[in-house]
mmCIF file with all atom_site columns, all heavy atoms in Angstrom:
data_model
loop_
_atom_site.group_PDB
_atom_site.id
_atom_site.type_symbol
_atom_site.label_atom_id
_atom_site.label_alt_id
_atom_site.label_comp_id
_atom_site.label_asym_id
_atom_site.label_entity_id
_atom_site.label_seq_id
_atom_site.pdbx_PDB_ins_code
_atom_site.Cartn_x
_atom_site.Cartn_y
_atom_site.Cartn_z
_atom_site.occupancy
_atom_site.B_iso_or_equiv
_atom_site.pdbx_formal_charge
_atom_site.auth_seq_id
_atom_site.auth_comp_id
_atom_site.auth_asym_id
_atom_site.auth_atom_id
_atom_site.pdbx_PDB_model_num
ATOM   1   N  N   . GLN A 1 23  ? -26.740 -12.936 1.056   1.00 98.00 ? 23  GLN A N   1
ATOM   2   C  CA  . GLN A 1 23  ? -27.299 -13.295 -0.249  1.00 98.00 ? 23  GLN A CA  1
ATOM   3   C  C   . GLN A 1 23  ? -27.437 -14.808 -0.370  1.00 98.00 ? 23  GLN A C   1
ATOM   4   O  O   . GLN A 1 23  ? -28.435 -15.321 -0.863  1.00 98.00 ? 23  GLN A O   1
ATOM   5   C  CB  . GLN A 1 23  ? -26.397 -12.777 -1.372  1.00 98.00 ? 23  GLN A CB  1
ATOM   6   C  CG  . GLN A 1 23  ? -27.031 -12.934 -2.754  1.00 98.00 ? 23  GLN A CG  1
ATOM   7   C  CD  . GLN A 1 23  ? -26.019 -13.179 -3.869  1.00 98.00 ? 23  GLN A CD  1
ATOM   8   O  OE1 . GLN A 1 23  ? -24.818 -12.986 -3.698  1.00 98.00 ? 23  GLN A OE1 1
ATOM   9   N  NE2 . GLN A 1 23  ? -26.509 -13.596 -5.015  1.00 98.00 ? 23  GLN A NE2 1
ATOM   10  N  N   . ILE A 1 24  ? -26.408 -15.518 0.110   1.00 98.00 ? 24  ILE A N   1
ATOM   11  C  CA  . ILE A 1 24  ? -26.418 -16.976 0.007   1.00 98.00 ? 24  ILE A CA  1
ATOM   12  C  C   . ILE A 1 24  ? -27.560 -17.566 0.837   1.00 98.00 ? 24  ILE A C   1
ATOM   13  O  O   . ILE A 1 24  ? -28.240 -18.498 0.400   1.00 98.00 ? 24  ILE A O   1
ATOM   14  C  CB  . ILE A 1 24  ? -25.050 -17.529 0.437   1.00 98.00 ? 24  ILE A CB  1
ATOM   15  C  CG1 . ILE A 1 24  ? -24.005 -17.130 -0.615  1.00 98.00 ? 24  ILE A CG1 1
ATOM   16  C  CG2 . ILE A 1 24  ? -25.096 -19.026 0.609   1.00 98.00 ? 24  ILE A CG2 1
ATOM   17  C  CD1 . ILE A 1 24  ? -22.601 -17.541 -0.285  1.00 98.00 ? 24  ILE A CD1 1
ATOM   18  N  N   . GLY A 1 27  ? -30.548 -17.414 -1.131  1.00 98.00 ? 27  GLY A N   1
ATOM   19  C  CA  . GLY A 1 27  ? -30.482 -18.404 -2.209  1.00 98.00 ? 27  GLY A CA  1
ATOM   20  C  C   . GLY A 1 27  ? -30.998 -19.750 -1.724  1.00 98.00 ? 27  GLY A C   1
ATOM   21  O  O   . GLY A 1 27  ? -31.804 -20.412 -2.385  1.00 98.00 ? 27  GLY A O   1
ATOM   22  N  N   . PHE A 1 28  ? -30.556 -20.138 -0.519  1.00 98.00 ? 28  PHE A N   1
ATOM   23  C  CA  . PHE A 1 28  ? -31.025 -21.419 0.019   1.00 98.00 ? 28  PHE A CA  1
ATOM   24  C  C   . PHE A 1 28  ? -32.531 -21.391 0.270   1.00 98.00 ? 28  PHE A C   1
ATOM   25  O  O   . PHE A 1 28  ? -33.226 -22.369 -0.019  1.00 98.00 ? 28  PHE A O   1
ATOM   26  C  CB  . PHE A 1 28  ? -30.273 -21.755 1.313   1.00 98.00 ? 28  PHE A CB  1
ATOM   27  C  CG  . PHE A 1 28  ? -28.957 -22.439 1.082   1.00 98.00 ? 28  PHE A CG  1
ATOM   28  C  CD1 . PHE A 1 28  ? -27.756 -21.771 1.273   1.00 98.00 ? 28  PHE A CD1 1
ATOM   29  C  CD2 . PHE A 1 28  ? -28.923 -23.759 0.645   1.00 98.00 ? 28  PHE A CD2 1
ATOM   30  C  CE1 . PHE A 1 28  ? -26.535 -22.400 1.048   1.00 98.00 ? 28  PHE A CE1 1
ATOM   31  C  CE2 . PHE A 1 28  ? -27.713 -24.404 0.419   1.00 98.00 ? 28  PHE A CE2 1
ATOM   32  C  CZ  . PHE A 1 28  ? -26.511 -23.716 0.620   1.00 98.00 ? 28  PHE A CZ  1
ATOM   33  N  N   . MET A 1 30  ? -34.770 -19.873 -1.366  1.00 98.00 ? 30  MET A N   1
ATOM   34  C  CA  . MET A 1 30  ? -35.473 -20.069 -2.639  1.00 98.00 ? 30  MET A CA  1
ATOM   35  C  C   . MET A 1 30  ? -35.295 -21.472 -3.192  1.00 98.00 ? 30  MET A C   1
ATOM   36  O  O   . MET A 1 30  ? -36.213 -22.047 -3.771  1.00 98.00 ? 30  MET A O   1
ATOM   37  C  CB  . MET A 1 30  ? -34.970 -19.050 -3.658  1.00 98.00 ? 30  MET A CB  1
ATOM   38  C  CG  . MET A 1 30  ? -35.430 -17.659 -3.348  1.00 98.00 ? 30  MET A CG  1
ATOM   39  S  SD  . MET A 1 30  ? -35.107 -16.599 -4.736  1.00 98.00 ? 30  MET A SD  1
ATOM   40  C  CE  . MET A 1 30  ? -33.353 -16.500 -4.648  1.00 98.00 ? 30  MET A CE  1
ATOM   41  N  N   . HIS A 1 34  ? -38.299 -24.012 -4.104  1.00 97.00 ? 34  HIS A N   1
ATOM   42  C  CA  . HIS A 1 34  ? -38.463 -24.687 -5.398  1.00 97.00 ? 34  HIS A CA  1
ATOM   43  C  C   . HIS A 1 34  ? -38.609 -26.190 -5.219  1.00 97.00 ? 34  HIS A C   1
ATOM   44  O  O   . HIS A 1 34  ? -39.209 -26.873 -6.034  1.00 97.00 ? 34  HIS A O   1
ATOM   45  C  CB  . HIS A 1 34  ? -37.256 -24.409 -6.297  1.00 97.00 ? 34  HIS A CB  1
ATOM   46  C  CG  . HIS A 1 34  ? -37.447 -23.256 -7.238  1.00 97.00 ? 34  HIS A CG  1
ATOM   47  N  ND1 . HIS A 1 34  ? -38.233 -23.342 -8.363  1.00 97.00 ? 34  HIS A ND1 1
ATOM   48  C  CD2 . HIS A 1 34  ? -36.956 -21.995 -7.235  1.00 97.00 ? 34  HIS A CD2 1
ATOM   49  C  CE1 . HIS A 1 34  ? -38.206 -22.188 -9.017  1.00 97.00 ? 34  HIS A CE1 1
ATOM   50  N  NE2 . HIS A 1 34  ? -37.438 -21.336 -8.343  1.00 97.00 ? 34  HIS A NE2 1
ATOM   51  N  N   . PHE A 1 46  ? -41.620 -15.960 -1.326  1.00 97.00 ? 46  PHE A N   1
ATOM   52  C  CA  . PHE A 1 46  ? -40.614 -16.079 -2.379  1.00 97.00 ? 46  PHE A CA  1
ATOM   53  C  C   . PHE A 1 46  ? -40.262 -14.734 -2.991  1.00 97.00 ? 46  PHE A C   1
ATOM   54  O  O   . PHE A 1 46  ? -39.097 -14.464 -3.275  1.00 97.00 ? 46  PHE A O   1
ATOM   55  C  CB  . PHE A 1 46  ? -41.116 -17.038 -3.472  1.00 97.00 ? 46  PHE A CB  1
ATOM   56  C  CG  . PHE A 1 46  ? -40.039 -17.456 -4.429  1.00 97.00 ? 46  PHE A CG  1
ATOM   57  C  CD1 . PHE A 1 46  ? -39.262 -18.582 -4.180  1.00 97.00 ? 46  PHE A CD1 1
ATOM   58  C  CD2 . PHE A 1 46  ? -39.791 -16.726 -5.581  1.00 97.00 ? 46  PHE A CD2 1
ATOM   59  C  CE1 . PHE A 1 46  ? -38.249 -18.968 -5.048  1.00 97.00 ? 46  PHE A CE1 1
ATOM   60  C  CE2 . PHE A 1 46  ? -38.776 -17.104 -6.457  1.00 97.00 ? 46  PHE A CE2 1
ATOM   61  C  CZ  . PHE A 1 46  ? -38.010 -18.227 -6.188  1.00 97.00 ? 46  PHE A CZ  1
ATOM   62  N  N   . HIS A 1 53  ? -32.274 -11.500 -2.564  1.00 98.00 ? 53  HIS A N   1
ATOM   63  C  CA  . HIS A 1 53  ? -31.146 -12.212 -3.182  1.00 98.00 ? 53  HIS A CA  1
ATOM   64  C  C   . HIS A 1 53  ? -30.515 -11.375 -4.298  1.00 98.00 ? 53  HIS A C   1
ATOM   65  O  O   . HIS A 1 53  ? -29.314 -11.179 -4.345  1.00 98.00 ? 53  HIS A O   1
ATOM   66  C  CB  . HIS A 1 53  ? -31.687 -13.539 -3.726  1.00 98.00 ? 53  HIS A CB  1
ATOM   67  C  CG  . HIS A 1 53  ? -30.665 -14.496 -4.281  1.00 98.00 ? 53  HIS A CG  1
ATOM   68  N  ND1 . HIS A 1 53  ? -29.745 -15.137 -3.489  1.00 98.00 ? 53  HIS A ND1 1
ATOM   69  C  CD2 . HIS A 1 53  ? -30.445 -14.945 -5.542  1.00 98.00 ? 53  HIS A CD2 1
ATOM   70  C  CE1 . HIS A 1 53  ? -28.999 -15.952 -4.250  1.00 98.00 ? 53  HIS A CE1 1
ATOM   71  N  NE2 . HIS A 1 53  ? -29.403 -15.843 -5.500  1.00 98.00 ? 53  HIS A NE2 1
ATOM   72  N  N   . LYS A 1 54  ? -31.353 -10.840 -5.178  1.00 97.00 ? 54  LYS A N   1
ATOM   73  C  CA  . LYS A 1 54  ? -30.815 -10.116 -6.336  1.00 97.00 ? 54  LYS A CA  1
ATOM   74  C  C   . LYS A 1 54  ? -30.243 -8.765  -5.945  1.00 97.00 ? 54  LYS A C   1
ATOM   75  O  O   . LYS A 1 54  ? -29.211 -8.340  -6.469  1.00 97.00 ? 54  LYS A O   1
ATOM   76  C  CB  . LYS A 1 54  ? -31.900 -9.918  -7.391  1.00 97.00 ? 54  LYS A CB  1
ATOM   77  C  CG  . LYS A 1 54  ? -32.218 -11.202 -8.136  1.00 97.00 ? 54  LYS A CG  1
ATOM   78  C  CD  . LYS A 1 54  ? -33.479 -11.059 -8.961  1.00 97.00 ? 54  LYS A CD  1
ATOM   79  C  CE  . LYS A 1 54  ? -34.021 -12.450 -9.277  1.00 97.00 ? 54  LYS A CE  1
ATOM   80  N  NZ  . LYS A 1 54  ? -35.447 -12.447 -9.589  1.00 97.00 ? 54  LYS A NZ  1
ATOM   81  N  N   . LEU A 1 57  ? -26.996 -9.047  -4.105  1.00 97.00 ? 57  LEU A N   1
ATOM   82  C  CA  . LEU A 1 57  ? -25.963 -9.319  -5.108  1.00 97.00 ? 57  LEU A CA  1
ATOM   83  C  C   . LEU A 1 57  ? -25.446 -8.012  -5.706  1.00 97.00 ? 57  LEU A C   1
ATOM   84  O  O   . LEU A 1 57  ? -24.252 -7.733  -5.710  1.00 97.00 ? 57  LEU A O   1
ATOM   85  C  CB  . LEU A 1 57  ? -26.525 -10.230 -6.200  1.00 97.00 ? 57  LEU A CB  1
ATOM   86  C  CG  . LEU A 1 57  ? -25.687 -10.355 -7.474  1.00 97.00 ? 57  LEU A CG  1
ATOM   87  C  CD1 . LEU A 1 57  ? -24.371 -11.057 -7.191  1.00 97.00 ? 57  LEU A CD1 1
ATOM   88  C  CD2 . LEU A 1 57  ? -26.445 -11.106 -8.560  1.00 97.00 ? 57  LEU A CD2 1
ATOM   89  N  N   . LYS A 1 114 ? -37.703 -6.375  -11.848 1.00 93.00 ? 114 LYS A N   1
ATOM   90  C  CA  . LYS A 1 114 ? -36.582 -7.265  -11.610 1.00 93.00 ? 114 LYS A CA  1
ATOM   91  C  C   . LYS A 1 114 ? -35.229 -6.559  -11.604 1.00 93.00 ? 114 LYS A C   1
ATOM   92  O  O   . LYS A 1 114 ? -34.871 -5.909  -12.572 1.00 93.00 ? 114 LYS A O   1
ATOM   93  C  CB  . LYS A 1 114 ? -36.582 -8.347  -12.690 1.00 93.00 ? 114 LYS A CB  1
ATOM   94  C  CG  . LYS A 1 114 ? -35.671 -9.495  -12.399 1.00 93.00 ? 114 LYS A CG  1
ATOM   95  C  CD  . LYS A 1 114 ? -35.814 -10.554 -13.464 1.00 93.00 ? 114 LYS A CD  1
ATOM   96  C  CE  . LYS A 1 114 ? -34.998 -11.778 -13.115 1.00 93.00 ? 114 LYS A CE  1
ATOM   97  N  NZ  . LYS A 1 114 ? -35.056 -12.756 -14.204 1.00 93.00 ? 114 LYS A NZ  1
ATOM   98  N  N   . ALA A 1 325 ? -31.676 -18.606 -15.418 1.00 98.00 ? 325 ALA A N   1
ATOM   99  C  CA  . ALA A 1 325 ? -31.026 -18.612 -14.099 1.00 98.00 ? 325 ALA A CA  1
ATOM   100 C  C   . ALA A 1 325 ? -29.684 -19.333 -14.172 1.00 98.00 ? 325 ALA A C   1
ATOM   101 O  O   . ALA A 1 325 ? -28.724 -18.945 -13.494 1.00 98.00 ? 325 ALA A O   1
ATOM   102 C  CB  . ALA A 1 325 ? -31.935 -19.272 -13.070 1.00 98.00 ? 325 ALA A CB  1
ATOM   103 N  N   . HIS A 1 329 ? -26.353 -17.123 -13.044 1.00 98.00 ? 329 HIS A N   1
ATOM   104 C  CA  . HIS A 1 329 ? -25.449 -17.458 -11.943 1.00 98.00 ? 329 HIS A CA  1
ATOM   105 C  C   . HIS A 1 329 ? -23.988 -17.500 -12.386 1.00 98.00 ? 329 HIS A C   1
ATOM   106 O  O   . HIS A 1 329 ? -23.133 -16.880 -11.778 1.00 98.00 ? 329 HIS A O   1
ATOM   107 C  CB  . HIS A 1 329 ? -25.856 -18.789 -11.290 1.00 98.00 ? 329 HIS A CB  1
ATOM   108 C  CG  . HIS A 1 329 ? -26.960 -18.630 -10.307 1.00 98.00 ? 329 HIS A CG  1
ATOM   109 N  ND1 . HIS A 1 329 ? -28.274 -18.634 -10.678 1.00 98.00 ? 329 HIS A ND1 1
ATOM   110 C  CD2 . HIS A 1 329 ? -26.951 -18.411 -8.965  1.00 98.00 ? 329 HIS A CD2 1
ATOM   111 C  CE1 . HIS A 1 329 ? -29.026 -18.435 -9.608  1.00 98.00 ? 329 HIS A CE1 1
ATOM   112 N  NE2 . HIS A 1 329 ? -28.250 -18.295 -8.557  1.00 98.00 ? 329 HIS A NE2 1
ATOM   113 N  N   . TRP A 1 333 ? -21.158 -14.733 -11.353 1.00 98.00 ? 333 TRP A N   1
ATOM   114 C  CA  . TRP A 1 333 ? -20.070 -15.284 -10.539 1.00 98.00 ? 333 TRP A CA  1
ATOM   115 C  C   . TRP A 1 333 ? -18.730 -15.042 -11.226 1.00 98.00 ? 333 TRP A C   1
ATOM   116 O  O   . TRP A 1 333 ? -17.802 -14.486 -10.649 1.00 98.00 ? 333 TRP A O   1
ATOM   117 C  CB  . TRP A 1 333 ? -20.297 -16.784 -10.299 1.00 98.00 ? 333 TRP A CB  1
ATOM   118 C  CG  . TRP A 1 333 ? -19.080 -17.441 -9.722  1.00 98.00 ? 333 TRP A CG  1
ATOM   119 C  CD1 . TRP A 1 333 ? -18.233 -18.298 -10.368 1.00 98.00 ? 333 TRP A CD1 1
ATOM   120 C  CD2 . TRP A 1 333 ? -18.547 -17.267 -8.405  1.00 98.00 ? 333 TRP A CD2 1
ATOM   121 N  NE1 . TRP A 1 333 ? -17.210 -18.669 -9.528  1.00 98.00 ? 333 TRP A NE1 1
ATOM   122 C  CE2 . TRP A 1 333 ? -17.372 -18.049 -8.320  1.00 98.00 ? 333 TRP A CE2 1
ATOM   123 C  CE3 . TRP A 1 333 ? -18.940 -16.531 -7.283  1.00 98.00 ? 333 TRP A CE3 1
ATOM   124 C  CZ2 . TRP A 1 333 ? -16.592 -18.112 -7.166  1.00 98.00 ? 333 TRP A CZ2 1
ATOM   125 C  CZ3 . TRP A 1 333 ? -18.156 -16.594 -6.139  1.00 98.00 ? 333 TRP A CZ3 1
ATOM   126 C  CH2 . TRP A 1 333 ? -17.003 -17.375 -6.082  1.00 98.00 ? 333 TRP A CH2 1
ATOM   127 N  N   . MET A 1 376 ? -23.800 -25.871 -9.422  1.00 98.00 ? 376 MET A N   1
ATOM   128 C  CA  . MET A 1 376 ? -25.099 -25.180 -9.372  1.00 98.00 ? 376 MET A CA  1
ATOM   129 C  C   . MET A 1 376 ? -25.572 -24.841 -10.781 1.00 98.00 ? 376 MET A C   1
ATOM   130 O  O   . MET A 1 376 ? -26.755 -24.983 -11.116 1.00 98.00 ? 376 MET A O   1
ATOM   131 C  CB  . MET A 1 376 ? -24.986 -23.882 -8.565  1.00 98.00 ? 376 MET A CB  1
ATOM   132 C  CG  . MET A 1 376 ? -24.859 -24.088 -7.070  1.00 98.00 ? 376 MET A CG  1
ATOM   133 S  SD  . MET A 1 376 ? -24.387 -22.565 -6.239  1.00 98.00 ? 376 MET A SD  1
ATOM   134 C  CE  . MET A 1 376 ? -25.695 -21.460 -6.710  1.00 98.00 ? 376 MET A CE  1
ATOM   135 N  N   . ALA A 1 416 ? -24.733 -26.048 -3.939  1.00 98.00 ? 416 ALA A N   1
ATOM   136 C  CA  . ALA A 1 416 ? -24.700 -24.763 -3.253  1.00 98.00 ? 416 ALA A CA  1
ATOM   137 C  C   . ALA A 1 416 ? -24.009 -24.891 -1.900  1.00 98.00 ? 416 ALA A C   1
ATOM   138 O  O   . ALA A 1 416 ? -23.383 -23.945 -1.420  1.00 98.00 ? 416 ALA A O   1
ATOM   139 C  CB  . ALA A 1 416 ? -26.115 -24.222 -3.072  1.00 98.00 ? 416 ALA A CB  1
ATOM   140 N  N   . PHE A 1 419 ? -20.389 -24.779 -2.612  1.00 98.00 ? 419 PHE A N   1
ATOM   141 C  CA  . PHE A 1 419 ? -20.091 -23.367 -2.894  1.00 98.00 ? 419 PHE A CA  1
ATOM   142 C  C   . PHE A 1 419 ? -19.982 -22.560 -1.597  1.00 98.00 ? 419 PHE A C   1
ATOM   143 O  O   . PHE A 1 419 ? -19.022 -21.806 -1.395  1.00 98.00 ? 419 PHE A O   1
ATOM   144 C  CB  . PHE A 1 419 ? -21.192 -22.805 -3.792  1.00 98.00 ? 419 PHE A CB  1
ATOM   145 C  CG  . PHE A 1 419 ? -21.092 -21.327 -4.021  1.00 98.00 ? 419 PHE A CG  1
ATOM   146 C  CD1 . PHE A 1 419 ? -20.165 -20.810 -4.910  1.00 98.00 ? 419 PHE A CD1 1
ATOM   147 C  CD2 . PHE A 1 419 ? -21.935 -20.441 -3.346  1.00 98.00 ? 419 PHE A CD2 1
ATOM   148 C  CE1 . PHE A 1 419 ? -20.067 -19.444 -5.115  1.00 98.00 ? 419 PHE A CE1 1
ATOM   149 C  CE2 . PHE A 1 419 ? -21.847 -19.079 -3.549  1.00 98.00 ? 419 PHE A CE2 1
ATOM   150 C  CZ  . PHE A 1 419 ? -20.904 -18.581 -4.433  1.00 98.00 ? 419 PHE A CZ  1
ATOM   151 N  N   . ALA B 2 70  ? -39.534 -13.892 -12.124 1.00 97.00 ? 70  ALA B N   1
ATOM   152 C  CA  . ALA B 2 70  ? -38.913 -15.053 -11.491 1.00 97.00 ? 70  ALA B CA  1
ATOM   153 C  C   . ALA B 2 70  ? -39.631 -16.321 -11.951 1.00 97.00 ? 70  ALA B C   1
ATOM   154 O  O   . ALA B 2 70  ? -40.698 -16.257 -12.561 1.00 97.00 ? 70  ALA B O   1
ATOM   155 C  CB  . ALA B 2 70  ? -38.960 -14.898 -9.977  1.00 97.00 ? 70  ALA B CB  1
ATOM   156 N  N   . TYR B 2 71  ? -39.027 -17.456 -11.624 1.00 97.00 ? 71  TYR B N   1
ATOM   157 C  CA  . TYR B 2 71  ? -39.473 -18.709 -12.244 1.00 97.00 ? 71  TYR B CA  1
ATOM   158 C  C   . TYR B 2 71  ? -40.140 -19.641 -11.245 1.00 97.00 ? 71  TYR B C   1
ATOM   159 O  O   . TYR B 2 71  ? -40.090 -20.854 -11.374 1.00 97.00 ? 71  TYR B O   1
ATOM   160 C  CB  . TYR B 2 71  ? -38.258 -19.368 -12.924 1.00 97.00 ? 71  TYR B CB  1
ATOM   161 C  CG  . TYR B 2 71  ? -37.393 -18.342 -13.617 1.00 97.00 ? 71  TYR B CG  1
ATOM   162 C  CD1 . TYR B 2 71  ? -36.066 -18.150 -13.296 1.00 97.00 ? 71  TYR B CD1 1
ATOM   163 C  CD2 . TYR B 2 71  ? -37.967 -17.511 -14.589 1.00 97.00 ? 71  TYR B CD2 1
ATOM   164 C  CE1 . TYR B 2 71  ? -35.315 -17.156 -13.919 1.00 97.00 ? 71  TYR B CE1 1
ATOM   165 C  CE2 . TYR B 2 71  ? -37.222 -16.519 -15.215 1.00 97.00 ? 71  TYR B CE2 1
ATOM   166 C  CZ  . TYR B 2 71  ? -35.901 -16.348 -14.866 1.00 97.00 ? 71  TYR B CZ  1
ATOM   167 O  OH  . TYR B 2 71  ? -35.160 -15.362 -15.475 1.00 97.00 ? 71  TYR B OH  1
HETATM 168 C  C1  . HEM C 3 .   ? -26.001 -20.884 -2.156  1.00 67.01 ? 502 HEM C C1  1
HETATM 169 C  C2  . HEM C 3 .   ? -25.980 -20.237 -3.206  1.00 67.01 ? 502 HEM C C2  1
HETATM 170 C  C3  . HEM C 3 .   ? -27.157 -19.879 -4.074  1.00 67.01 ? 502 HEM C C3  1
HETATM 171 C  C4  . HEM C 3 .   ? -28.368 -20.507 -4.274  1.00 67.01 ? 502 HEM C C4  1
HETATM 172 C  C5  . HEM C 3 .   ? -28.890 -21.759 -3.604  1.00 67.01 ? 502 HEM C C5  1
HETATM 173 C  C6  . HEM C 3 .   ? -29.104 -19.713 -5.237  1.00 67.01 ? 502 HEM C C6  1
HETATM 174 C  C7  . HEM C 3 .   ? -30.384 -19.989 -5.685  1.00 67.01 ? 502 HEM C C7  1
HETATM 175 C  C8  . HEM C 3 .   ? -31.139 -19.173 -6.488  1.00 67.01 ? 502 HEM C C8  1
HETATM 176 C  C9  . HEM C 3 .   ? -32.504 -19.394 -6.838  1.00 67.01 ? 502 HEM C C9  1
HETATM 177 C  C10 . HEM C 3 .   ? -33.327 -20.577 -6.393  1.00 67.01 ? 502 HEM C C10 1
HETATM 178 C  C11 . HEM C 3 .   ? -32.905 -18.361 -7.631  1.00 67.01 ? 502 HEM C C11 1
HETATM 179 C  C12 . HEM C 3 .   ? -34.304 -18.068 -8.135  1.00 67.01 ? 502 HEM C C12 1
HETATM 180 C  C13 . HEM C 3 .   ? -34.699 -18.583 -9.436  1.00 67.01 ? 502 HEM C C13 1
HETATM 181 C  C14 . HEM C 3 .   ? -36.144 -18.210 -9.662  1.00 67.01 ? 502 HEM C C14 1
HETATM 182 O  O1  . HEM C 3 .   ? -36.434 -17.089 -10.087 1.00 67.01 ? 502 HEM C O1  1
HETATM 183 O  O2  . HEM C 3 .   ? -37.010 -19.033 -9.411  1.00 67.01 ? 502 HEM C O2  1
HETATM 184 C  C15 . HEM C 3 .   ? -31.770 -17.483 -7.789  1.00 67.01 ? 502 HEM C C15 1
HETATM 185 C  C16 . HEM C 3 .   ? -31.757 -16.339 -8.564  1.00 67.01 ? 502 HEM C C16 1
HETATM 186 C  C17 . HEM C 3 .   ? -30.595 -15.637 -8.864  1.00 67.01 ? 502 HEM C C17 1
HETATM 187 N  N1  . HEM C 3 .   ? -29.358 -15.793 -8.254  1.00 67.01 ? 502 HEM C N1  1
HETATM 188 FE FE1 . HEM C 3 .   ? -28.850 -17.207 -6.924  1.00 67.01 ? 502 HEM C FE1 1
HETATM 189 N  N2  . HEM C 3 .   ? -28.318 -18.667 -5.617  1.00 67.01 ? 502 HEM C N2  1
HETATM 190 C  C18 . HEM C 3 .   ? -27.127 -18.739 -4.932  1.00 67.01 ? 502 HEM C C18 1
HETATM 191 C  C19 . HEM C 3 .   ? -26.056 -17.887 -5.042  1.00 67.01 ? 502 HEM C C19 1
HETATM 192 C  C20 . HEM C 3 .   ? -25.944 -16.895 -5.993  1.00 67.01 ? 502 HEM C C20 1
HETATM 193 C  C21 . HEM C 3 .   ? -24.743 -16.175 -6.283  1.00 67.01 ? 502 HEM C C21 1
HETATM 194 C  C22 . HEM C 3 .   ? -23.403 -16.357 -5.580  1.00 67.01 ? 502 HEM C C22 1
HETATM 195 C  C23 . HEM C 3 .   ? -25.043 -15.337 -7.317  1.00 67.01 ? 502 HEM C C23 1
HETATM 196 C  C24 . HEM C 3 .   ? -24.151 -14.385 -8.058  1.00 67.01 ? 502 HEM C C24 1
HETATM 197 C  C25 . HEM C 3 .   ? -22.925 -14.509 -8.239  1.00 67.01 ? 502 HEM C C25 1
HETATM 198 C  C26 . HEM C 3 .   ? -26.446 -15.503 -7.640  1.00 67.01 ? 502 HEM C C26 1
HETATM 199 C  C27 . HEM C 3 .   ? -27.125 -14.812 -8.612  1.00 67.01 ? 502 HEM C C27 1
HETATM 200 C  C28 . HEM C 3 .   ? -28.460 -14.945 -8.894  1.00 67.01 ? 502 HEM C C28 1
HETATM 201 C  C29 . HEM C 3 .   ? -29.147 -14.223 -9.942  1.00 67.01 ? 502 HEM C C29 1
HETATM 202 C  C30 . HEM C 3 .   ? -28.510 -13.213 -10.896 1.00 67.01 ? 502 HEM C C30 1
HETATM 203 C  C31 . HEM C 3 .   ? -30.487 -14.636 -9.919  1.00 67.01 ? 502 HEM C C31 1
HETATM 204 C  C32 . HEM C 3 .   ? -31.593 -14.198 -10.869 1.00 67.01 ? 502 HEM C C32 1
HETATM 205 C  C33 . HEM C 3 .   ? -31.550 -15.150 -12.020 1.00 67.01 ? 502 HEM C C33 1
HETATM 206 C  C34 . HEM C 3 .   ? -32.680 -15.009 -12.998 1.00 67.01 ? 502 HEM C C34 1
HETATM 207 O  O3  . HEM C 3 .   ? -33.771 -14.618 -12.603 1.00 67.01 ? 502 HEM C O3  1
HETATM 208 O  O4  . HEM C 3 .   ? -32.460 -15.311 -14.171 1.00 67.01 ? 502 HEM C O4  1
HETATM 209 N  N3  . HEM C 3 .   ? -26.965 -16.467 -6.812  1.00 67.01 ? 502 HEM C N3  1
HETATM 210 N  N4  . HEM C 3 .   ? -30.703 -18.002 -7.078  1.00 67.01 ? 502 HEM C N4  1
#
Side-chain angles (χ1 to χ4, degrees):
Chain A
Q23 189 212 346
I24 291 177
F28 275 107
M30 289 192 289
H34 265 285
F46 193 90
H53 186 69
K54 286 168 200 157
L57 167 66
K114 193 176 185 185
H329 278 85
W333 168 252
M376 287 168 58
F419 173 77
Chain B
Y71 320 121

